[in-house]
Amino acid sequence: MIEAVERLVKLLESENVEWEVFYQFGRSGSFRIERETLERSQRKFYSGIGLRVGLKGRLGFSYITGLHPGEEELKKLVERAVKLAKISEVPFRGFPAGERVNRVKGIYDRAIDEIPFEEAHRLALEYAELMREKKGEETLSGSLSLAVGTSGVVNSNGIELEERSTYMGVSAYAVLSEPPGTGSYRQSFTSLQPVEELERAVEKAIDEARLSARARKLEPYSGELVLEPNALASIMEVFLSNLYGDEVYHGRSRFSKPGEVIGDFSLVDDSTLPELPGSYSFDGEGTPGQRTLLVEDGTVRNFLLDHTYASFLGMESTGNALRTFRSVPYIGTSNLILEPGEESLEDYEGVIVRKVFGEHTANPVSGDFSLTVELGYVVENGELKPFKDNMLVGNVFELLRTLKPGRKAERISSFVSPRGLVEGRLV
Amino acid sequence: MEWLIKRAEELAGKHGVDYYEIRLVKVTSRRLVMSNGQLRELSSNSELGIGARAFNGTWGFSSANDRERFEKAIETAMKIAKLSRGDAEIYLGEPVRDEVELKVKKPFTEVDIEEKLSLVKEIDGLLRGEKIVSRTVNYGDSIVETFYFNSLGSEIRTVVPRIRLGFSVTAKENGEMQDFWKSFGGTLGWELIEGIDLHYWTAHVKEKALELLRASSPPSGEMDVIADPELTGVFIHEALGHAVEADSVKNGDSILAGRLGEKIAVEGLNVVDDPTLPGKFGSYPYDDEGIKAKRVEIIKDGVLVSYLNDRETAEYFGLEPNGHARAESYSHQPLVRMGNTYVEPGDWSFEEILEEVKNGLYMLGDKGGEVDTANGTFTFGAKLGYIVENGEITEPVRDVALSGKILDVLKNIMTIGNDTRVEFPGYCGKGQWVPVDDGGPHILTRALVGGLR
């Protein structure tokens, strides 16, 4: 426990309240490359302490930034949180009690933690150089970021946990003009990656831009089509709020309890997977990370829950309380996995949609969506005919009813999914 | 502050940095969220942070929120700049010393949190109704105090208050669910809240959610679409706004690169971005590079006349700096962003526009949008609409997203209404979130409608 938190805990122990302290500190270095030139480099530091206080069934929350508060600042933090608990009327459902936490492997890499900024900067220059080598007609840009962060939870039920994790993010973007075409690639990791990963990012972006520049609008189509993991991620985003415990509790979900049959696929949230960027040993309230079957063979089995909404719904927390020191816990996914199925879709011949955009214009409550196709292609006798600018339209509940996952999964940051065969419509 | 200004100067000397700029930002904010009569959040917070940038033909940036690291952040930015060395140039200009506080009639800081709580409760009560299965009310206000200084000797203090209120309902019938919402916001005080007819707007939100339950999905395909002032706002934000942000243009990421002076839209179309409009949600006095915010004519009579720019792109394109560099917070570097973007009024009345449509849609409201500026394709969402047949509004249709190609759609605008309104606050995302407003008059254009029929 850090020194400021120890002092804060001492202050809290003399108050007649239940309490929880969540703290974070860390730093990041990130680099932005434009037109194959390193243009912006930055190094950021952040730290802060968030305090939740439960008093007579009501919750108060406040935070401070920095880890070097004076005694007066700490006292004021406690006063503010207690005062808010008195007037706030936000229901307090207790804090989690300590359960055994198993440490997730491979979410901290000393190589990222200890890399000197100068060396990270050199890596970014190398990335820019690599773009200059590989480019044809394309204009290339991208980014590279490295971060290390520590977060900790201490509460009046005896929880005292701390975890450190590292992150590496890589993105590449390629643009062609006349005719216009764009390609992008984005991936994240928990450990320092070799230069081959940067090469792969650039190559993927270039390949996609070349495909995109050849793409034309497809005639309206209705029927069987394949969604690549990227497009499936967009579809899942439209659907997923229906599985959030707060949305369920407040009547903004299709589901009021588990049990409904919605298709024939399995969807899992799993924060315990080694080396994945969405993994953690415990969530923002100190609940252990877990593997949660959200949908099992088409049946809704569970929701994404934190301690509060689990309590409201009479369920158990699934360890999905995400957090920053600036906020009370909010529900979110850790790593989302669409389980592979039986379909062999690697050599699929027909209409394939790779990427769509505009999912926040969709309606998760009614399920209606119309998403612009950034890139798709038709495969005929092994030959690729790319298309774009159509819209993929439908209703997410109807679409998922037809979903048949393929065999081979691919990872896009914290989303792991195979291709999926669906009945769909392009206009 | 004096010691920090002095210290920055010393550090710049030590590291041989020519240009730097530093923002000290204090944010004080309150937020209340209530769902179904139950309070979900009531917070009142304040924080102080620093963002420091140094330029050496390329930018070095560092930020911190622990006071003990403020000086280190400045030095880190300078060290990074020295390490980086590029060949870009920036507009410098004369030093500016100014203090600006956006004035409000009734400061929300003088309204206590209990009163804000009773407002939220009142609205929650008004949103109750048959078939309404969920209600949410969201209130927030913030004061952002910025002290900006740079190596030219600029020292600018600004105080920007911002207030917003939003509420939504979800209606349910026979297994069908729909929602509807309304947002208000501005760089205003409590007078914004006092000016809202809560009875009218809560009834409106409920009525529209129920109407959506009965509506069928719109047809699909390319067709004539009348956009209401709110939809025109998101349309112009996506179809034009992002593609004229000069950083995208410079980076080869905009289809409007190299088109200044070119006719890219219909005659009579005038589009403006104006952060100096009083009281609007996207208004600000100075941008985050210490440049005074300016009204920018982007399209004048169909001709692309300017890009929105920052210090670097103003220099690069030889444009007059127009103060559009905005950062989400002290811990973000400014990017070229919009403020309040709108289409100026034409001379058609709504009735005349309606008469033009034989077979099409009248779509209303803003559900957000997205654009691929390099491909020149954009999407924008409407909250609901109606089928129009022979100039008559007929059956209601559900919310839907529409899509278009930048270079086609601006030329496809057939009529421009005379009823411009800019009162549709929102947040725009470009890796960072900033408050914006947009709007315009009713317009008639052609777009690809993603309906299910």
Side-chain angles (χ1 to χ4, degrees):
Chain A
M1 214 187 325
I2 55 176
E3 189 263 342
V5 174
E6 266 173 37
R7 282 192 285 134
L8 178 59
V9 167
K10 276 217 177 72
L11 285 177
L12 288 162
E13 280 170 344
S14 64
E15 298 275 332
N16 191 19
V17 293
E18 289 180 68
W19 52 265
E20 176 207 67
V21 178
F22 178 83
Y23 61 93
Q24 278 179 305
F25 57 93
R27 61 175 190 278
S28 65
S30 56
F31 307 91
R32 180 85 205 142
I33 298 162
E34 301 286 1
R35 295 173 303 161
E36 307 92 35
T37 306
L38 178 57
E39 291 230 329
R40 293 179 173 214
S41 308
Q42 60 183 23
R43 185 162 168 82
K44 298 188 195 181
F45 305 90
Y46 66 90
S47 56
I49 303 172
L51 171 63
R52 284 202 293 168
V53 155
L55 179 64
K56 294 179 183 157
R58 301 284 187 232
L59 183 79
F61 170 78
S62 194
Y63 74 86
I64 54 168
T65 55
L67 294 179
H68 302 91
E71 207 55 23
E72 207 42 41
E73 198 181 345
L74 282 182
K75 275 185 188 153
K76 279 195 176 138
L77 172 66
V78 175
E79 273 169 32
R80 268 201 314 274
V82 170
K83 187 193 162 196
L84 285 170
K86 284 176 180 160
I87 62 167
S88 84
E89 301 179 24
V90 175
F92 171 60
R93 310 290 289 195
F95 296 121
E99 278 178 67
R100 197 189 141 72
V101 166
N102 293 312
R103 295 287 164 172
V104 182
K105 292 197 174 58
I107 56 173
Y108 170 77
D109 180 13
R110 187 177 291 265
I112 291 182
D113 192 1
E114 292 177 358
I115 191 170
F117 186 80
E118 292 72 16
E119 204 173 303
H121 186 264
R122 255 198 310 277
L123 188 62
L125 286 173
E126 205 175 323
Y127 191 23
E129 178 60 39
L130 208 147
M131 287 181 184
R132 283 191 292 274
E133 280 167 20
K134 293 207 177 278
K135 74 174 270 170
E137 297 293 308
E138 300 82 11
T139 304
L140 297 172
S141 58
S143 67
L144 184 66
S145 48
L146 294 168
V148 57
T150 300
S151 54
V153 191
V154 187
N155 75 17
S156 50
N157 291 341
I159 283 184
E160 189 182 326
L161 293 161
E162 189 176 279
E163 184 157 72
R164 188 162 42 164
S165 57
T166 48
Y167 171 88
M168 175 172 179
V170 177
S171 78
Y173 182 58
V175 178
L176 279 166
S177 55
E178 289 168 41
T182 58
S184 61
Y185 177 82
R186 183 177 290 280
Q187 189 61 285
S188 59
F189 310 89
T190 55
S191 60
L192 194 63
Q193 298 299 303
V195 104
E196 287 71 35
E197 188 52 43
L198 303 178
E199 275 178 16
R200 192 221 305 252
V202 175
E203 281 162 10
K204 289 235 176 193
I206 289 176
D207 283 352
E208 194 170 288
R210 288 177 187 170
L211 203 56
S212 163
R214 285 203 288 128
R216 298 293 169 265
K217 199 165 155 184
L218 193 71
E219 286 301 308
Y221 170 85
S222 191
E224 187 184 275
L225 55 88
V226 162
L227 300 175
E228 288 197 5
N230 243 304
L232 267 174
S234 301
I235 293 292
M236 284 300 169
E237 198 181 315
V238 178
F239 166 70
L240 212 60
S241 71
N242 287 280
L243 296 179
Y244 278 44
D246 48 349
E247 300 287 36
V248 172
Y249 176 72
H250 289 297
R252 282 180 46 81
S253 162
R254 266 300 160 109
F255 316 115
S256 55
K257 54 180 186 303
E260 200 163 318
V261 178
I262 58 165
D264 189 20
F265 60 92
S266 293
L267 188 66
V268 173
D269 180 88
D270 193 346
S271 54
T272 69
L273 295 168
E275 293 170 29
L276 286 205
S279 293
Y280 44 76
S281 304
F282 57 90
D283 76 356
E285 302 180 289
T287 301
Q290 66 174 54
R291 174 185 155 87
T292 306
L293 252 176
L294 297 167
V295 180
E296 184 184 22
D297 299 330
T299 305
V300 176
R301 290 288 181 217
N302 210 338
F303 301 127
L304 294 160
L305 296 163
D306 63 0
H307 181 82
T308 303
Y309 283 95
S311 153
F312 284 146
L313 291 167
M315 298 171 77
E316 294 289 320
S317 171
T318 55
N320 285 95
L322 303 190
R323 196 79 187 262
T324 77
F325 68 85
R326 285 188 182 85
S327 72
V328 296
Y330 55 94
I331 292 172
T333 54
S334 61
N335 301 297
L336 190 69
I337 292 103
L338 177 68
E339 296 283 3
E342 299 298 316
E343 295 293 321
S344 173
L345 302 175
E346 278 62 51
D347 304 314
Y348 182 80
E349 295 241 324
V351 178
I352 300 178
V353 176
R354 176 176 288 182
K355 283 180 182 169
V356 293
F357 67 83
E359 45 273 34
H360 61 283
T361 68
N363 186 336
V365 160
S366 71
D368 289 352
F369 64 83
S370 25
L371 306 169
T372 300
V373 176
E374 193 176 321
L375 186 62
Y377 48 95
V378 182
V379 186
E380 269 173 18
N381 304 320
E383 201 189 325
L384 258 62
K385 283 188 200 150
F387 63 90
K388 63 182 175 187
D389 299 340
N390 296 75
M391 291 182 103
L392 175 71
V393 305
N395 181 283
V396 77
F397 302 107
E398 287 171 22
L399 187 97
L400 289 180
R401 220 166 281 148
T402 68
L403 171 64
K404 294 189 185 107
R407 285 181 192 159
K408 208 175 131 204
E410 185 185 319
R411 179 177 77 87
I412 307 164
S413 292
S414 54
F415 179 62
V416 185
S417 170
R419 290 176 162 200
L421 187 69
V422 296
E423 288 291 316
R425 186 165 166 211
L426 294 163
V427 301
Chain B
M1 289 316 130
E2 286 308 314
W3 72 271
L4 206 63
I5 297 175
K6 228 178 141 97
R7 191 68 193 121
E9 213 175 301
E10 289 165 13
L11 288 168
K14 178 178 156 197
H15 294 288
V17 165
D18 294 334
Y19 181 81
Y20 59 84
E21 54 184 24
I22 289 153
R23 284 177 292 136
L24 272 166
V25 185
K26 186 182 176 199
V27 185
T28 314
S29 62
R30 283 142 298 265
R31 197 168 122 89
L32 287 91
V33 185
M34 177 174 271
S35 286
N36 303 332
Q38 183 173 319
L39 203 59
R40 297 171 76 166
E41 182 179 345
L42 181 149
S43 59
S44 171
N45 285 298
S46 176
E47 84 172 74
L48 175 70
I50 192 170
R53 289 217 291 180
F55 188 74
N56 185 28
T58 168
W59 291 105
F61 176 82
S62 185
S63 69
N65 58 14
D66 190 327
R67 253 163 272 192
E68 304 214 348
R69 276 195 180 272
F70 281 12
E71 200 180 308
K72 187 167 178 193
I74 296 176
E75 186 163 22
T76 303
M78 291 174 177
K79 281 188 184 164
I80 297 173
K82 285 313 276 187
L83 188 67
S84 304
R85 208 172 70 224
D87 52 11
E89 287 173 32
I90 54 169
Y91 168 84
L92 291 174
E94 296 299 312
V96 178
R97 285 172 183 258
D98 203 358
E99 286 189 27
V100 189
E101 179 173 356
L102 294 186
K103 291 282 177 235
V104 302
K105 288 199 181 108
K106 189 172 179 185
F108 46 70
T109 44
E110 289 169 18
V111 177
D112 59 31
I113 201 118
E114 285 85 355
E115 191 172 338
K116 289 167 187 169
L117 181 57
S118 62
L119 167 81
V120 165
K121 283 184 186 169
E122 182 193 349
I123 297 169
D124 175 74
L126 290 169
L127 291 173
R128 284 175 187 273
E130 212 181 322
K131 295 175 193 151
I132 303 298
V133 293
S134 189
R135 325 178 290 280
T136 294
V137 188
N138 217 305
Y139 169 88
D141 61 45
S142 68
I143 298 214
V144 180
E145 295 167 73
T146 305
F147 175 57
Y148 169 96
F149 66 95
N150 67 18
S151 50
L152 303 171
S154 287
E155 285 181 28
I156 304 165
R157 286 168 207 274
T158 56
V159 180
V160 178
R162 214 170 245 114
I163 184 168
R164 65 194 155 76
L165 173 70
F167 42 84
S168 68
V169 297
T170 306
K172 188 174 186 177
E173 189 176 41
N174 302 329
E176 289 278 334
M177 288 170 78
Q178 286 290 350
D179 53 11
F180 204 80
W181 65 96
K182 174 70 186 170
S183 305
F184 304 87
T187 42
L188 291 163
W190 192 250
E191 67 272 12
L192 173 92
I193 305 294
E194 290 176 339
I196 300 170
D197 183 342
L198 291 176
H199 286 269
Y200 171 80
W201 283 110
T202 49
H204 177 78
V205 161
K206 285 189 277 186
E207 183 192 312
K208 292 299 166 191
L210 294 173
E211 191 173 305
L212 281 170
L213 279 179
R214 295 187 295 271
S216 48
S217 183
S220 62
E222 200 167 297
M223 63 191 81
D224 286 359
V225 176
I226 303 174
D228 83 326
E230 186 173 349
L231 186 60
T232 297
V234 63
F235 165 80
I236 207 67
H237 178 104
E238 302 297 348
L240 180 71
H242 282 295
V244 296
E245 290 167 340
D247 50 356
S248 296
V249 180
K250 170 175 168 271
N251 295 334
D253 188 22
S254 170
I255 201 156
L256 297 181
R259 293 185 194 264
L260 279 184
E262 204 174 294
K263 196 157 178 287
I264 61 161
V266 288
E267 264 167 44
L269 185 77
N270 298 297
V271 184
V272 171
D273 187 281
D274 188 359
T276 72
L277 288 177
K280 298 298 175 194
F281 202 59
S283 298
Y284 53 91
Y286 280 88
D287 76 359
D288 289 312
E289 291 185 331
I291 301 276
K292 206 177 179 85
K294 286 193 182 68
R295 177 181 192 273
V296 181
E297 289 183 328
I298 303 171
I299 289 189
K300 200 170 181 183
D301 203 13
V303 177
L304 180 65
V305 289
S306 191
Y307 298 132
L308 305 177
N309 62 40
D310 59 4
R311 282 186 187 269
E312 193 176 341
T313 53
E315 187 68 22
Y316 184 86
F317 289 108
L319 294 167
E320 188 197 347
N322 54 40
H324 278 75
R326 303 179 70 191
E328 178 178 319
S329 77
Y330 61 82
S331 68
H332 294 85
Q333 292 197 63
L335 302 173
V336 180
R337 307 302 295 263
M338 287 173 256
N340 306 302
T341 319
Y342 61 95
V343 176
E344 292 202 303
D347 42 22
W348 291 66
S349 72
F350 174 59
E351 291 71 26
E352 288 166 344
I353 296 177
L354 204 53
E355 278 171 27
E356 289 294 296
V357 181
K358 285 257 172 315
N359 222 316
L361 292 172
Y362 173 33
M363 299 304 299
L364 299 89
D366 169 3
K367 278 196 81 172
E370 198 166 340
V371 60
D372 175 347
T373 48
N375 262 318
T377 309
F378 67 100
T379 295
F380 59 114
K383 281 150 84 175
L384 84 170
Y386 301 90
I387 300 227
V388 179
E389 281 167 351
N390 300 317
E392 298 279 331
I393 291 177
T394 65
E395 59 162 313
V397 291
R398 287 191 210 164
D399 55 316
V400 74
L402 301 93
S403 167
K405 305 279 289 177
I406 293 173
L407 293 178
D408 298 340
V409 91
L410 293 170
K411 287 189 171 155
N412 282 342
I413 296 175
M414 290 167 266
T415 63
I416 300 162
N418 58 11
D419 49 357
T420 289
R421 281 157 55 205
V422 188
E423 52 192 37
F424 309 106
Y427 288 88
C428 167
K430 181 175 168 180
Q432 301 177 24
W433 294 96
V434 295
V436 295
D437 211 328
D438 50 42
H442 280 92
I443 59 166
L444 170 60
T445 186
R446 275 187 85 75
L448 175 61
V449 180
L452 303 183
R453 262 197 277 175

